[in-house]
Amino acid sequence: DTQAAWDYHNGTKHTWRSVHSGGHYMDWNNQPRPFKLYPGLEGQRLPRDLTSSGVVALDVLLGRTAPAPAGPQLPSLQQLAGLLYFSAGITKRGVVPGGQMYFRAAACTGALYHIELYLVCGDLPDLPAGVYHFGPHDFSLRPLRQGDFRGVLAQASGGEPAVAQAPAVIVTSAVFWRNAWKYQARAYRHCYWDSGTILANLLAVGDACQLPLNLVTAFVDAPVNQLLGLDPDKEVALHLVPVGWTPEQPATTAPPMPPLSLEVAPYSRREVDYPAMREMHQASSLTQPAEAVALRAGPPAPADLVPEGEVIPLGKLLEGELPRDTIEAVIQRRGSSRRFRRAGIGQQQLAAILAAAGRRLPADFLGEPGATLVQMYIIANAVDGLAPGSYVYHPGGQSLELLEAGPSAEGRERAGYLGLEQELPADAGANLYFLADLTAALARYGNRGYRMAQTEAAIRGGWAYLAAYAQRLGATGLTFYDDDVTQFFSPHAAGKSVMFLVALGRPLRRSRLGGAATP
């Protein structure tokens, strides 16, 4: 029964009326803290002498790096520190009214940073087996459980091989209130948007370090939440990311798992509950490992493979010289643009961004290379050599199909409106929308398909972010008027739902944030 997904999705759509008539306001005296703190629980500091992989960011994002070597791949503590830092660590500090602002490696809606990372591992050369929480505020791992609990995750995922034979697994979670404070029930979408941008960084850095990483979205929820000691009314596990590979006997036996009773510092004086978030998560939760097995691979057949309009090939543009900054340098530099100047971006730059966003995603629900649940639509306001108008991207042929040409001024006005009447999408050189056929995704995966579609769109949006900053452009994620976006790209997009939006352009000025932060 997928009505729950439709009820949630339709109930949290932005319309002109909902945005302009809503009475919600942000209580700044009750703003939640952006960190999960365990009072009295000592942490193990992670290595701070992180080294660069030396791998070019665009080589990673365009799939041009060498595959991970065959044989056992056990991550070192320093490698794990790098994965955690470049996906969710504090990379910049800035001065804002009221104190300091800590900016993370990946973009997050409202800079509220409601996504947490946990590590579940067997014995590693420099880290005992256990369940750990990653604390970005002091760059530490805090032990929640001692012992090897990977079998819990292996069982929950239905024996997923990538999980069962991983020496370590990173688990993402979301704390509902820390984002709902600003965005109310729509924050459940943001759980996947903001974990998706973290996963985009994580997968890219893993590729650069030649560490095999996979994304696992299908697992029985309750034992994973119990393993991490989460109150599922307030915080829930979202994804499993197996790290590395070991030829040893797969971890399939789950040891006894007594409840955790660890104190967590309150996030704010009081919390407001938004039942729609809990209800949607419960409706998309799995209860049996066999359900996870049934959701692996075999995605719906992709639609709109054959262009019907004018086609603009982009592949040859990627044969030219591209910027050579390393993936770590790009992540360190990445931010979210606050203003764009109305100047064109290069067609080669757009081609690289689209190719990066369309690269293979190693996810359990996709399986085949090239499989996807989302399509990319573009409003081109100012792309050198490309007529202003609307387009759809075909990743297989690395080409754009023109949907409708139009004057730049008209496109800017419309893009601004679709992006909740903000200046950023109107000033951007291009706006990149990720749309999904939710009917097909939910028919194949049930309510869990909603999580999958949101996650995939956000990861691909995160890769677009990185590809933009690798080329010294700016990018920012934005929200949107849902049905108006679909209508704008129709009839091609008829029946599809917008999942994610990234505006791309030339930043108006350099950020005034403080210097880069070291772990």
Side-chain angles (χ1 to χ4, degrees), residues 33-74:
R33 73 171 81 243
F35 302 111
K36 184 175 187 178
L37 304 178
Y38 293 90
L41 188 61
E42 291 295 325
Q44 175 181 340
R45 290 294 182 97
L46 287 162
R48 296 172 179 266
D49 55 336
L50 304 181
T51 58
S52 172
S53 65
V55 178
V56 173
L58 287 175
D59 284 347
V60 173
L61 295 169
L62 297 177
R64 296 175 176 177
T65 55
Q73 293 285 315
L74 269 68

Side-chain angles (χ1 to χ4, degrees), residues 139-452:
F139 203 57
S140 295
L141 289 176
R142 281 175 170 74
L144 308 182
R145 297 182 188 272
Q146 296 180 346
D148 189 352
F149 288 87
R150 290 174 297 157
V152 175
L153 303 182
Q155 284 190 358
S157 66
E160 163 63 48
V163 175
Q165 294 199 264
V169 179
I170 293 173
V171 186
T172 70
S173 78
V175 181
F176 290 154
W177 166 241
R178 288 197 348 227
N179 199 259
W181 168 79
K182 179 176 182 179
Y183 297 104
Q184 302 174 276
R186 191 171 167 99
Y188 188 70
R189 299 189 187 203
H190 300 179
C191 294
Y192 297 94
W193 294 7
D194 298 329
S195 59
T197 55
I198 288 175
L199 292 169
N201 286 23
L202 186 62
L203 293 168
V205 174
D207 282 351
C209 297
Q210 294 190 305
L211 269 175
L213 272 67
N214 293 275
L215 172 63
V216 176
T217 61
F219 55 88
V220 181
D221 296 73
V224 178
N225 290 331
Q226 183 184 350
L227 176 66
L228 305 179
L230 309 183
D231 176 353
D233 287 338
K234 297 183 177 182
E235 181 183 358
V236 292
L238 304 177
H239 310 99
L240 310 180
V241 183
V243 180
W245 180 81
T246 174
E248 297 176 1
Q249 184 70 25
T252 55
T253 303
M257 190 168 53
L260 289 177
S261 56
L262 297 171
E263 180 187 358
V264 176
Y267 296 114
S268 54
R269 289 183 292 105
R270 63 184 181 87
E271 298 185 12
V272 179
D273 180 40
Y274 293 93
M277 299 178 68
R278 292 185 286 101
E279 291 165 4
M280 178 58 212
H281 194 76
Q282 182 59 37
S284 58
S285 293
L286 306 183
T287 59
Q288 299 295 328
E291 295 175 309
V293 175
L295 298 187
R296 289 182 198 153
D304 309 315
L305 288 178
V306 180
E308 297 181 358
E310 178 186 348
V311 173
I312 299 94
L314 301 177
K316 285 193 175 298
L317 295 173
L318 302 178
E319 297 174 4
E321 186 66 26
L322 295 169
R324 305 288 299 169
D325 291 346
T326 65
I327 186 64
E328 292 87 359
V330 168
I331 291 174
Q332 193 82 49
R333 184 171 68 235
R334 188 215 62 78
S336 290
S337 299
R338 293 292 174 256
R339 295 187 68 184
F340 292 127
R341 53 190 172 95
R342 292 198 173 190
I345 65 175
Q347 193 174 149
Q348 183 195 50
Q349 291 175 317
L350 180 61
I353 291 168
L354 293 172
R359 70 188 287 248
R360 178 180 178 269
L361 173 59
D364 58 340
F365 61 92
L366 294 179
E368 309 166 9
T372 181
L373 296 181
V374 300
Q375 280 187 295
M376 288 179 269
Y377 289 80
I378 300 99
I379 296 179
N381 291 330
V383 179
D384 300 338
L386 193 65
S390 59
Y391 297 82
V392 63
Y393 180 64
H394 296 278
Q398 290 190 330
S399 62
L400 286 172
E401 177 186 352
L402 177 64
L403 299 179
E404 185 176 0
S408 178
E410 181 182 311
R412 287 188 185 278
E413 181 181 0
R414 193 60 182 168
Y417 173 79
L418 295 176
L420 246 58
E421 302 167 76
Q422 300 178 77
E423 291 183 0
L424 273 165
D427 293 339
N431 290 280
L432 176 55
Y433 301 81
F434 298 83
L435 275 72
D437 182 347
L438 277 184
T439 300
L442 296 176
R444 167 63 184 91
Y445 300 111
N447 288 316
R448 196 76 164 205
Y450 191 72
R451 302 193 199 181
M452 295 166 174

Side-chain angles (χ1 to χ4, degrees), residues 438-519:
L438 277 184
T439 300
L442 296 176
R444 167 63 184 91
Y445 300 111
N447 288 316
R448 196 76 164 205
Y450 191 72
R451 302 193 199 181
M452 295 166 174
Q454 293 282 12
T455 295
E456 181 185 349
I459 292 173
R460 297 194 183 283
W463 285 336
Y465 247 112
L466 295 179
Y469 276 85
Q471 300 176 94
R472 302 282 172 167
L473 295 176
T476 190
L478 297 168
T479 195
F480 38 78
Y481 288 131
D482 294 71
D483 290 342
D484 291 317
V485 172
T486 299
Q487 183 178 1
F488 177 80
F489 289 109
S490 291
H492 194 282
K496 296 174 186 173
S497 301
V498 59
M499 300 282 103
F500 201 80
L501 163 60
V502 181
L504 308 162
R506 296 193 179 277
L508 183 63
R509 61 171 64 91
R510 292 181 64 85
S511 171
R512 294 183 179 179
L513 296 177
T518 55

